[in-house]
Amino acid sequence: MTQAATGTSAGRTVQRRKSTEPGAGRTRLAVTLLVLAVLLVVSATAGLAIGSVQVPPGQVWGIVTHALGADWQGPDWSRARETIVVDVRAPRVLLGAVTGAGLAVVGTALQALVRNPLAEPYLLGVSSGASLGAVSVIVFGVTFFGPLSLSVAAFVGALGALLLVYATARTGGRITSVRLVLSGVAIAAVLTAVLHLLLLTTDRGNEARAVLAWTLGGLGGVNWGTLWLPSTALLLGVGVLMVQARNLNLLLAGEEAATTMGLDVARFRARLFVLLSLVTGVLVAAAGPIGFVGLMMPHIVRLFVGGDHRRVLPTAALGGAVFLVWTDIAARTVAAPMEIPVGVLTALCGGPFFLWLFWAGAPAEKQPCGGYTTPQN
């Protein structure tokens, strides 16, 4: 009697725990998203305020609201400060947020598509392919698509590099972390060598130096007229990936399991490869190749919201935006008046993170999902 009562009580306790887990998960997700949204607002304010000309945060918001249509009587800032905030820093901060968010969601999706925790646009050579495509347009003066030529060429280069890395790393229907990373590094090295060869042999010396600086990644030179394309690519990418989040969860369980659940894995993977290459190509064309954001952010946010892509994708987007905005602030201020390329700072952060992840995740390569825990739907 006592054992039966004890068993019944334990069963009820387990049921109560299971019933409260989804609610607790939603609460944690809401709190995490709220904190990241507040951090993004604070980061954007800092990005607009900090620089060679310091602007108080109160004036920053006054200038921003005035630019949005607020009617201020006797504003207490100069026209020069308004120009600095609205025309110089605001596009740069927005591009940093868009690029950081885009790279984070691309990295999240790539890790699910190839079922590998080390997948990332920069490490897999996708950024190198996009860079080569963009530089080829600049060097050879190709303008078939008008002002979109740079982004189209970057997209073609990114897609070609991704398909090549995937085909090279896949043997016997299986991809290991080591083969994927080695294939990505090798192909990225070849593409980078071709890119440098183009720059060395071109007769456009001034453009070559500018492009060489661009290949290190940076947010300078952006204006309001060029922001619409990366912003559109981000919205498109996040929207499609959120719709496909459940299928990404299925794919983590393995191709056979996903097929059993009704997912056409080959078609799904091909479509998302095209989408991710498009987003990466547009972002690289706008900001240059910036590495390791797509590697770090997914792993960091999974510590807070778990492995379900319906939670990971929006959280990673906000985390990537916050991270890259602060990275750009550091790039502008650490060695002022000289500006450090943003890609250099992200590499300094991402390199040690990658080594730690590779070392810590080495035993997980033998697991069926490459070290992932399959989310419960």
Side-chain angles (χ1 to χ4, degrees), residues 321-370:
V322 171
F323 172 74
L324 205 60
V325 168
W326 279 107
T327 304
D328 182 55
I329 293 173
R332 291 187 279 123
T333 57
V334 168
M338 183 183 71
E339 182 176 319
I340 302 174
V342 173
V344 172
L345 295 183
T346 59
L348 289 176
C349 297
F353 185 91
F354 169 75
L355 293 175
W356 169 79
L357 188 65
F358 189 78
W359 174 77
E365 290 184 25
K366 298 180 181 180
Q367 299 180 11
C369 292

Side-chain angles (χ1 to χ4, degrees), residues 171-245:
T171 55
R174 184 171 179 267
I175 299 177
T176 65
S177 296
V178 174
R179 288 188 64 87
L180 187 71
V181 172
L182 290 180
S183 298
V185 169
I187 291 174
V190 173
L191 296 176
T192 302
V194 175
L195 185 151
H196 289 159
L197 180 63
L198 288 177
L199 294 179
L200 289 174
T201 55
T202 183
D203 55 356
R204 303 180 180 183
N206 294 331
E207 291 185 5
R209 284 189 291 271
V211 171
L212 186 60
W214 171 82
T215 58
L216 298 176
L219 306 177
V222 64
N223 56 63
W224 290 109
T226 58
L227 266 177
W228 69 271
L229 188 57
S231 301
T232 303
L234 172 65
L235 294 176
L236 174 65
V238 172
V240 173
L241 290 176
M242 285 300 297
V243 172
Q244 300 294 334

Side-chain angles (χ1 to χ4, degrees), residues 99-105 107-108 111 120-122 290-299 316 319-321 323-324 327 342 346 350:
T99 303
L103 293 175
V105 297
T108 302
Q111 289 170 14
E120 194 262 348
Y122 190 80
I290 298 175
F292 296 102
V293 179
L295 175 69
M296 294 186 290
M297 287 304 114
H299 289 285
F323 172 74
L324 205 60
T327 304
V342 173
T346 59

Side-chain angles (χ1 to χ4, degrees), residues 159-170:
L159 180 60
L162 180 58
L163 295 178
L164 184 59
V165 170
Y166 184 78
T168 305
R170 186 179 178 89

